[in-house]
């Protein structure tokens, strides 16, 4: 009986020794580290300390471009889950102002875009743009200006199935795909009568394909309000962001400035700035125009009328 107990004890000990043996993990979970840098040298834009925020890291097969996996890190990088093999990687920030990403699981169709302007914004320009009979841009597609999207791309990264070192490090630098331009308008007479100023600029890139680093070829117009307009001054400045100048369509970069005086009267001025958006490293547009905003006549302008209050009864479910 004691011999049987001895055999059982030896067998259990052997099984336990095998069960407790340390085996390497098949998946290299959190053994890959993304050393991410942010290029903060941007013309006419200062990157904040907390920018660009949370970053999405996406991996694709280096040959087939098939989506493999994704993870998230801070803008300083960090440990990530990554597939082994030969992969391509795209990194971009999730919060980028008015810039959004669609088709984010597709290498060739991952696209940065902005929404169309609101009906209220469009109504400011609609009747003036519809009355144009020249060959200048039609402004059919008007978008809001994009926010800075920081993107890093790395190709043909070989991540071994079994990492022999403590950690496998991927180094990458994220750069913005958006340009910041400033606009300076001089020679304004009657700035004290101006209530608001809005601008449109045509001939701009509509969307940008993040992974392939290519632009769409359909030109759009961008809408933006004036950043600073000091009254009783003959000049004003503004700034806008863009994916860049669209060059394949031949569309001009027409800057349209809409002044609304303090009584609601509109004044539209147009300037072709195509040449200024070429070979301009300072990305600064200067308008020396003959702009005259006349003093509104007393009693002119809008005369809003409010109807008498009317009572309406509704059933409310509680």
């Amino acid at each position: 009986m004691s011999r049987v107990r001895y055999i059982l004890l030896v067998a259990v000990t052997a099984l336990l020794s095998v069960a407790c043996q340390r085996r390497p993990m098949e998946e290299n979970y959190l053994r890959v580290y993304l050393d991410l840098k942010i290029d903060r040298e941007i013309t006419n834009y200062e990157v904040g300390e907390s920018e660009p925020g949370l970053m999405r890291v996406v991996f694709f097969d280096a040959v087939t471009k098939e989506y493999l996996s994704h993870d998230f890190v801070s803008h300083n990088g960090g440990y990530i889950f990554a597939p082994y093999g030969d992969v391509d990687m795209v990194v971009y920030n999730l919060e980028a102002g008015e810039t959004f990403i669609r088709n984010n699981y597709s290498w060739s169709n991952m696209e940065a875009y902005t929404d169309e302007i609101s009906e209220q914004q469009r109504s400011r320009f609609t009747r003036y743009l519809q009355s144009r009979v020249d060959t200048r841009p039609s402004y059919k597609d008007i978008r809001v200006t994009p926010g800075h999207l920081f993107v890093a791309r790395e190709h043909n990264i070989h991540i071994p199935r079994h990492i022999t070192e403590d950690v496998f490090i991927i180094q990458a630098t994220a750069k913005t795909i958006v340009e910041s331009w400033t606009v300076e308008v001089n020679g304004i007479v009657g700035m004290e009568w101006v209530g608001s100023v809005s601008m449109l600029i045509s001939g701009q890139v509509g969307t940008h394909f993040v992974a392939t680093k290519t632009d769409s070829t359909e030109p759009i117009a961008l809408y933006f309000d004036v950043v600073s307009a000091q009254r009783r001054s003959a000049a004003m400045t503004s700034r806008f962001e863009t994916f860049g100048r669209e060059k394949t369509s031949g569309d001009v970069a027409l800057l349209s400035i809409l002044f609304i005086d303090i009584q609601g009267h509109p004044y539209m001025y147009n300037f072709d700035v195509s040449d200024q958006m070429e070979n301009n490293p300072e990305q600064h547009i200067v308008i020396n125009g003959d702009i005259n905003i006349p003093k509104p006549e007393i009693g002119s302008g809008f005369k809003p009328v409010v109807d008498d209050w009317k009572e309406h009864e509704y059933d409310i479910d509680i």
Side-chain angles (χ1 to χ4, degrees):
M1 188 72 178
S2 60
R3 180 177 177 81
V4 174
R5 288 180 179 178
Y6 175 79
I7 294 174
L8 290 174
L9 180 61
V10 171
V12 170
T13 303
L15 289 172
L16 289 175
S17 65
V18 173
C20 295
Q21 182 179 357
R22 299 186 65 180
R23 299 174 180 268
M25 295 179 63
E26 291 296 320
E27 299 294 339
N28 297 313
Y29 183 68
L30 294 184
R31 295 191 64 190
V32 177
Y33 186 87
L34 176 59
D35 182 11
L36 185 62
K37 301 291 189 299
I38 303 298
D39 186 351
R40 296 175 177 269
E41 298 297 324
I42 304 175
T43 303
N44 298 323
Y45 185 81
E46 184 175 351
V47 184
E49 293 183 0
S50 60
E51 289 185 89
L54 188 65
M55 311 288 289
R56 182 173 184 252
V57 187
V58 194
F59 289 98
F60 298 87
D61 185 278
V63 177
T64 66
K65 305 305 181 186
E66 178 186 2
Y67 164 79
L68 298 176
S69 68
H70 72 270
D71 207 343
F72 302 93
V73 293
S74 73
H75 61 268
N76 295 318
Y79 286 95
I80 56 174
F81 174 78
Y84 59 82
D86 296 325
V87 299
D88 289 346
M89 180 186 73
V90 179
V91 185
Y92 61 87
N93 51 310
L94 296 180
E95 296 292 335
E98 297 294 336
T99 304
F100 306 100
I101 302 292
R102 58 190 170 203
N103 306 320
N104 52 14
Y105 294 99
S106 170
W107 171 268
S108 58
N109 296 320
M110 185 185 298
E111 189 177 22
Y113 70 99
T114 60
D115 287 330
E116 295 185 1
I117 61 174
S118 67
E119 288 302 319
Q120 180 181 5
Q121 292 169 325
R122 182 179 291 274
S123 65
R124 288 188 175 188
F125 283 90
T126 298
R127 59 174 171 168
Y128 312 110
L129 299 177
Q130 289 177 344
S131 65
R132 298 164 68 124
V133 295
D134 55 23
T135 58
R136 290 173 175 175
S138 63
Y139 289 143
K140 291 180 180 179
D141 192 354
I142 307 176
R143 308 282 184 91
V144 297
T145 56
H148 280 279
L149 185 72
F150 293 83
V151 178
R153 308 173 186 88
E154 295 294 332
H155 302 277
N156 294 316
I157 305 171
H158 180 73
I159 302 177
R161 183 182 182 94
H162 300 291
I163 298 176
T164 57
E165 303 295 333
D166 291 339
V167 65
F168 183 86
I169 299 177
I170 301 175
Q171 294 182 331
T173 300
K175 300 181 179 182
T176 182
I177 62 172
V178 173
E179 300 173 359
S180 289
W181 286 74
T182 54
V183 179
E184 175 186 341
V185 183
N186 301 306
I188 305 174
V189 177
M191 194 66 191
E192 63 267 31
W193 312 122
V194 174
S196 66
V197 185
S198 301
M199 297 187 185
L200 289 179
I201 186 165
S202 67
Q204 304 302 301
V205 170
T207 65
H208 179 83
F209 293 96
V210 176
T212 60
K213 200 178 179 179
T214 56
D215 295 328
S216 60
T217 57
E218 292 295 329
I220 64 159
L222 294 173
Y223 171 97
F224 58 102
D225 292 315
V226 171
V227 175
S228 64
Q230 296 180 354
R231 293 188 178 183
R232 304 183 186 280
S233 172
M236 67 179 182
T237 60
S238 187
R239 192 188 77 191
F240 69 94
E241 272 69 42
T242 175
F243 290 125
R245 174 85 165 89
E246 205 291 308
K247 302 178 181 179
T248 62
S249 65
D251 202 356
V252 299
L254 188 72
L255 181 68
S256 297
I257 309 175
L258 179 63
F259 296 87
I260 305 294
D261 73 11
I262 55 178
Q263 292 192 356
H265 300 127
Y267 299 90
M268 174 84 93
Y269 293 85
N270 300 293
F271 303 93
D272 188 339
V273 296
S274 301
D275 292 341
Q276 294 198 54
M277 293 200 75
E278 298 288 341
N279 302 317
N280 187 348
E282 295 181 353
Q283 295 172 193
H284 181 64
I285 296 172
V286 179
I287 302 295
N288 295 313
D290 184 13
I291 299 175
N292 186 9
I293 309 300
K295 180 179 179 180
E297 297 180 2
I298 299 177
S300 63
F302 294 127
K303 296 181 180 180
V305 177
V306 179
D307 293 332
D308 293 336
W309 291 103
K310 298 179 181 179
E311 295 183 358
H312 299 273
E313 296 184 1
Y314 299 92
D315 294 326
I316 302 176
D317 296 329
I318 300 178

